Amino acid sequence: MAHTREDPRSLPTEPRPYLEELVRRTRTVCGPHLVSVLAVGSLALGDYRQGRSDIDVTVVVEPSLPGSALHDLAGALAHPHLRCPAAGLELVVYGTDFVGRPSGAAGYLLDLNTGPLLPDRADVDAARSPAFWYVIDRSVAHQTGLTLFGRPAREVIAAPDRPELLAAIRASVREHSDGEGHLADNRVLNGCRSVVFCRTGRWVAKRTAAREVALAEEEFRPLIEAATHSFERPRSSALPLPAAEVRAFLARVRERVDQTVRAAGA
């Protein structure tokens, strides 16, 4: 990719051409206002699975970016105009004036979801969205974001303050406990990742987190192993998991997160 800072070999083979074209189109639309294009999520954590994972991208722009450019960018990147090879593209655009400081708010300029398995969304009103997803994503981006273009993640994205990040993790666990709109395996593996973060202060890949938590939580080991097995399949053939066991496991995750919150005085 032109003007990248990461070795392209650090990215999986399948999405590389798509990401190259995404960067090209983003540069065309944003011009000199573009600061960074970053691969985040499973791509950055080394756990991208073709047919299962989304492609997660964070774009950082100067606040002087014309508002019309956000509409143009959403159109330029929309599937199938730009055919997404993954389950979907989840792309978030931030201004440098917001993303360069810690915040517990959503704060985006554009939240774009598009792709073969995602409902289309191009939202520019951050006040309407639950903030916790974006707080967690910025924490992951600050830690591990891969630079596709421009300045590195740590130079442009501030890590959220710990109390706000822990509050966001608690909110995400509540969301997964409800289960609405989430695959059961993803609910379990995201719970594992939250537990590992509370223990270590580091984000790791879902399957890595699952292995660590399975060793410590013998009661839930069969459930976690089943969730991992399901996660290794395409979304369309994810395996059902026992609903009562999933709820019980996520209740245990909430206990672990609450313990961390109390210990931190957050």
Side-chain angles (χ1 to χ4, degrees):
M1 297 177 190
H3 302 287
T4 59
R5 293 176 180 268
E6 301 293 339
D7 183 345
R9 290 173 296 180
S10 63
L11 293 167
T13 301
E14 297 90 340
R16 286 182 201 168
Y18 174 78
L19 289 168
E20 289 175 356
E21 181 61 15
L22 182 148
V23 169
R24 189 191 70 79
R25 294 188 184 201
T26 303
R27 293 180 65 194
T28 298
V29 172
C30 297
H33 305 283
L34 181 61
V35 175
S36 297
V37 182
L38 308 165
V40 295
S42 59
L43 285 170
L45 290 167
D47 203 30
Y48 176 84
R49 292 195 57 78
Q50 188 69 20
R52 162 54 74 125
S53 301
D54 295 318
I55 290 175
D56 297 289
V57 175
T58 295
V59 174
V60 181
V61 298
E62 295 290 352
S64 54
L65 179 77
S68 59
L70 297 172
H71 177 270
D72 294 343
L73 183 62
L77 302 181
H79 176 88
H81 180 58
L82 175 59
R83 188 166 295 278
C84 181
L89 169 69
E90 294 187 350
L91 179 139
V92 182
V93 180
Y94 294 105
T96 55
D97 54 339
F98 171 81
V99 80
R101 56 183 174 79
S103 175
Y108 58 78
L109 299 176
L110 171 67
D111 182 16
L112 175 67
N113 287 359
T114 188
L117 298 181
L118 284 186
D120 288 334
R121 166 186 168 91
D123 186 73
V124 294
D125 185 1
R128 300 190 304 182
S129 297
F132 63 87
W133 295 124
Y134 306 93
V135 176
I136 292 172
D137 285 350
R138 292 197 300 271
S139 177
V140 174
H142 175 83
Q143 177 192 298
T144 62
L146 297 176
T147 308
L148 304 179
F149 172 82
R151 294 169 58 192
R154 284 180 178 267
E155 290 186 9
V156 294
I157 298 181
D161 289 331
R162 187 166 176 79
E164 292 176 327
L165 180 55
L166 290 175
I169 293 172
R170 290 175 77 181
S172 74
V173 175
R174 287 197 300 269
E175 169 82 9
H176 284 301
S177 297
D178 293 339
E180 188 69 27
H182 300 287
L183 290 173
D185 55 19
N186 205 42
R187 294 165 62 198
V188 171
L189 298 184
N190 270 330
C192 292
R193 199 170 67 164
S194 294
V195 169
V196 171
F197 180 85
C198 287
R199 288 178 181 166
T200 67
R202 298 284 297 173
W203 295 109
V204 299
K206 291 176 183 176
R207 288 178 293 174
T208 301
R211 288 193 294 270
E212 293 187 24
V213 176
L215 291 174
E217 299 282 354
E218 186 173 351
E219 174 187 354
F220 294 105
R221 188 176 303 163
L223 174 68
I224 295 170
E225 291 175 347
T228 302
H229 179 57
S230 177
F231 181 73
E232 291 170 349
R233 300 163 63 96
R235 287 192 190 193
S236 58
S237 58
L239 301 174
L241 300 177
E245 293 183 27
V246 173
R247 288 194 298 270
F249 174 69
L250 290 172
R252 178 70 60 85
V253 172
R254 288 198 303 274
E255 292 175 6
R256 299 290 186 261
V257 175
D258 287 343
Q259 289 171 1
T260 303
V261 170
R262 289 193 295 271

